[in-house]
Amino acid sequence: MTISSRFSVAIHILSLLEFNKEGVSTSEYISGSVNTNPVVIRRIMSMLNKAGLVEVRAGVAGTKLLRELEDITLLDVYRAVNVVEEDGLFAVHDRPNPNCPVGRNIQSAIEPVFSSAQKAMEKTLAAVTLQDIVDDLSSKSEVV
């Protein structure tokens, strides 16, 4: 199982909005770059709008960034698209055998490790901004 692709699609959308800031970024335009259905794009843009990262107005074509790229971290995007709940990245089976010494204690043994691993990943995401991503994209040939 992997983390929802909403996260990478949201990063794609936000990066594309920056590259096309002089143009009109409709869900149809963005879906062409992401290579998915415009409905998927609209759903994710709605989440980004609710998180205050983009402005989406009903009946008005186009979406725009509401914050500077250097003020948006990948952790902001990760949280905006509801990838996982706090301490919910790793699922722990919920009904081990309580009569078994391993089954009785496995959850308390691994949950702190899982929580620590999720916090480490989130710390990494917090250290990377959308500006970092756009700068990397800009350094590659033939972007947008």
Side-chain angles (χ1 to χ4, degrees):
M1 183 187 323
T2 61
I3 290 177
S4 168
S5 64
R6 284 190 313 262
F7 182 42
S8 62
V9 171
I11 295 168
H12 188 139
I13 291 169
L14 295 168
S15 299
L16 187 60
L17 291 176
E18 176 63 18
F19 277 96
N20 191 46
K21 62 184 167 190
E22 301 304 320
V24 177
S25 295
T26 62
S27 57
E28 288 76 18
Y29 170 77
I30 296 168
S31 70
S33 178
V34 176
N35 200 22
T36 192
N37 190 296
V39 172
V40 172
I41 300 302
R42 285 191 287 274
R43 190 175 307 124
I44 294 172
M45 285 195 308
S46 175
M47 295 171 141
L48 296 171
N49 182 62
K50 185 177 179 183
L53 300 178
V54 299
E55 178 182 52
V56 179
R57 294 182 302 179
V60 178
T63 301
K64 67 177 184 176
L65 293 168
L66 286 177
R67 292 171 31 197
E68 297 297 321
L69 293 179
E70 60 269 9
D71 296 331
I72 302 173
T73 68
L74 294 189
L75 183 59
D76 295 329
V77 180
Y78 175 82
R79 288 181 174 153
V81 295
N82 302 313
V83 176
V84 294
E85 298 173 13
E86 186 173 338
D87 290 332
L89 182 60
F90 300 99
V92 178
H93 54 295
D94 60 354
R95 299 174 76 191
N97 183 347
N99 297 320
C100 170
V102 173
R104 184 172 44 251
N105 297 299
I106 191 69
Q107 290 174 329
S108 64
I110 62 177
E111 284 176 344
V113 176
F114 288 174
S115 178
S116 178
Q118 181 172 345
K119 285 177 179 38
M121 181 199 68
E122 290 175 354
K123 182 178 178 184
T124 298
L125 295 177
V128 179
T129 67
L130 273 176
Q131 186 66 60
D132 297 325
I133 300 299
V134 167
D135 289 347
D136 186 49
L137 289 169
S138 294
S139 72
K140 308 211 184 304
S141 63
E142 311 248 358
V143 175
V144 185

